[in-house]
Amino acid sequence: MKSPISNFKSALLLGCVAALASCDKPKPSASAPATTSGPLVQRAYLWQRDWTRQVSQSTVAHAGAFDTLDLLAAQIEWRESASEPSLVRPAIDWPALRATGKPVGFVVRVQRAGEGAAVAETVTRLLLDRLAEAKAESVSVAEFQIDYDCPQKRLADYQGWLVPIREGLRATGLPLRITTLPSWLGEPAFAPLVDTTDGYVLQVHSFDLTTLGKTPTVCDPAMARDWVARAAKLGRPFHVALPTYRCLAGYAPDGHCLGMAADAGSPPWPPGTRVLEFTSDATALANLVIEWTKERPAAMQGLYWYRLPIEGESRNWRWPTLAAVMAGRVPVSKWEVRSTPGNPTDFVLWNTGENDDPLPSAIRVTWSGSGQVAVADALGGWSCQTSTDHVEFHAASRGMPVRLAPGNSVPLGWIRYHEAPPSDRMMSYEIVR
């Protein structure tokens, strides 16, 4: 019996034939693309190299909200001086996935491609190996994906090694999709490329870090709408990938970009660097979900969220935020100040909303009646100013906004009174943005 990953050189020749054959396909109609409405299929990427306890817990807790979870199956890279690719193969927590009862997808990330036949053979083998593992662990598999940021002018080369991958996976009966960049949409090679697959994922969280002064957002809603409209005119099935993360970009005094940080921590920026935080605007993305639920191109088959929230991550939405946006609802922002009884009285700020919001700049605590302040102090980086009937807590000035996750709290400070403290009914709180 032949191996499904054999004869790749022959398969590459078939790729050329398939590319020519795609030219004979009927062109999409010039009329306006058909539309549809209703709830969206929603999937999420679980893009983790290390399956920590928090990753497994988040998987079990939230996988049920999605149609599938698409896992990072492997990351490969062909470096110039090496004949064999470097490989990262995450140790997946199969019991956690099995406990969810949900199907998964496998994504191979090609960081840098090598010779076509070698790429095709390696990617196919990795996906088939992961499929065998999943079957042995009684985990259902729904699809395969390839994530490769191909140079824009080399899409035809990409198609050349996609064809043998498709042939090598055909016997599995599972769909094969690729992630794509908006800049590819206008390339003549784009339509033949996606015709090689069962559909593509349009990543509208592509953004340009090169120019300082632009709106610091990971996803521009106006551009996302435009890219989706352009994709619809091609008439090929596609999904849209929306972001949930934040990143930092550093700029030199002359304005050129020094680099970015998408995960925890920051690079050692040189003196004089201006650091901007690029965010995924939950309100703007919720409005996109609302719009597309009411009306969207018929070719648009659903959404992928990048990425599943994991407890402890510092630059990703928390679960309450993503849950609200997926439901087509703008997440609620809400702060509460809570005080302890007694003298002194402690004050704590709680985020009781659904957004991972920056801390307010100031909070005023006001009271009436008895209760003159003897002494007050702030905690946790706050400062305070006292008056006869109020205390103001001010957040320390920082370069980057400090965010508080939904359901979390931070101490503000305390007040000791000369007499008995005022009751809760006599105290009020004002949040200053």
Side-chain angles (χ1 to χ4, degrees):
M1 180 181 294
K2 285 188 177 182
S3 166
I5 58 173
S6 63
N7 299 326
F8 275 90
K9 290 185 179 180
S10 299
L12 283 170
L13 292 175
L14 287 174
C16 298
V17 175
L20 292 172
S22 68
C23 298
D24 297 328
K25 292 187 178 182
K27 304 297 183 185
S29 170
S31 60
T35 62
T36 188
S37 63
L40 290 147
V41 170
Q42 304 207 47
R43 312 172 193 267
Y45 289 108
L46 207 171
W47 209 254
Q48 302 292 332
R49 292 186 176 195
D50 299 316
W51 278 68
T52 62
R53 175 177 55 84
Q54 291 84 357
V55 172
S56 297
Q57 288 174 342
S58 295
T59 299
V60 173
H62 305 306
F66 303 98
D67 292 271
T68 62
L69 282 181
D70 281 64
L71 318 178
L72 177 63
Q75 179 171 306
I76 50 178
E77 179 179 5
W78 276 262
R79 295 177 179 144
E80 293 180 2
S81 59
S83 58
E84 295 293 325
S86 63
L87 173 65
V88 175
R89 186 176 174 133
I92 294 171
D93 185 346
W94 295 108
L97 291 174
R98 188 166 57 248
T100 70
K102 301 293 289 190
V104 302
F106 289 127
V107 189
V108 169
R109 166 68 177 169
V110 180
Q111 191 72 17
R112 181 186 298 171
E115 189 271 327
V119 178
E121 180 175 1
T122 304
V123 171
T124 305
R125 183 178 65 250
L126 285 168
L127 289 173
L128 290 175
D129 285 351
R130 284 304 200 189
L131 178 62
E133 289 179 60
K135 288 183 176 179
E137 296 287 346
S138 301
V139 173
S140 176
V141 179
E143 67 171 351
F144 297 125
Q145 277 191 35
I146 298 172
D147 179 45
Y148 173 46
D149 295 341
C150 178
Q152 192 168 324
K153 298 301 180 182
R154 301 191 64 180
L155 296 181
D157 295 339
Y158 186 9
Q159 182 192 0
W161 52 262
L162 265 181
V163 170
I165 293 175
R166 176 72 178 272
E167 290 303 312
L169 299 174
R170 190 177 297 279
T172 68
L174 296 175
L176 173 66
R177 297 187 176 95
I178 61 172
T179 61
T180 65
L181 303 177
S183 59
W184 298 0
L185 290 171
E187 291 294 327
F190 181 71
L193 171 69
V194 296
D195 283 343
T196 309
T197 71
D198 296 293
Y200 63 98
V201 181
L202 182 64
Q203 296 178 326
V204 298
H205 51 102
S206 300
F207 54 99
D208 183 5
L209 294 171
T210 58
T211 305
L212 179 61
K214 296 192 305 182
T215 302
T217 181
V218 174
C219 175
D220 184 319
M223 295 178 71
R225 293 184 187 95
D226 178 63
W227 290 329
V228 167
R230 290 175 60 190
K233 292 178 181 178
L234 295 174
R236 275 75 174 182
F238 68 98
H239 289 70
V240 174
L242 292 175
T244 63
Y245 63 92
R246 296 186 295 275
C247 66
L248 302 181
Y251 294 89
D254 64 1
H256 79 271
C257 186
L258 299 172
M260 65 171 290
D263 298 316
S266 299
W269 307 111
T273 299
R274 180 181 176 186
V275 181
L276 291 184
E277 183 183 54
F278 285 70
T279 63
S280 295
D281 187 328
T283 297
L285 295 180
N287 286 328
L288 280 180
V289 173
I290 293 168
E291 289 178 28
W292 287 333
T293 301
K294 293 178 180 177
E295 184 178 43
R296 61 185 179 274
M300 179 178 163
Q301 298 185 323
L303 299 175
Y304 284 86
W305 293 97
Y306 183 82
R307 57 200 186 265
L308 181 73
I310 305 297
E311 186 66 32
E313 287 186 326
S314 61
R315 295 199 185 122
N316 198 22
W317 285 353
R318 307 308 168 98
W319 176 249
T321 309
L322 180 54
V325 175
M326 288 174 62
R329 182 172 54 78
V330 174
V332 173
S333 292
K334 187 178 180 182
W335 297 101
E336 288 185 13
V337 177
R338 299 176 185 173
S339 60
T340 60
N343 195 8
T345 300
D346 296 313
F347 296 92
V348 178
L349 177 67
W350 284 84
N351 182 350
T352 55
E354 298 170 315
N355 259 330
D356 207 11
D357 280 327
L359 290 174
S361 59
I363 297 164
R364 173 179 286 200
V365 180
T366 306
W367 59 89
S368 59
S370 62
Q372 285 191 338
V373 175
V375 64
D377 200 3
L379 300 171
W382 296 78
S383 62
C384 70
Q385 296 177 338
T386 63
S387 183
T388 56
D389 64 348
H390 71 269
V391 170
E392 283 191 5
F393 294 100
H394 294 268
S397 177
R398 301 176 178 93
M400 286 291 103
V402 175
R403 297 176 182 272
L404 191 62
N408 286 16
S409 64
V410 61
L412 294 174
W414 52 269
I415 299 174
R416 182 183 295 278
Y417 303 92
H418 284 294
E419 303 171 14
S423 67
D424 287 344
R425 294 190 303 274
M426 301 172 68
M427 302 187 73
S428 61
Y429 310 99
E430 180 183 357
I431 308 293
V432 180
R433 297 294 179 184

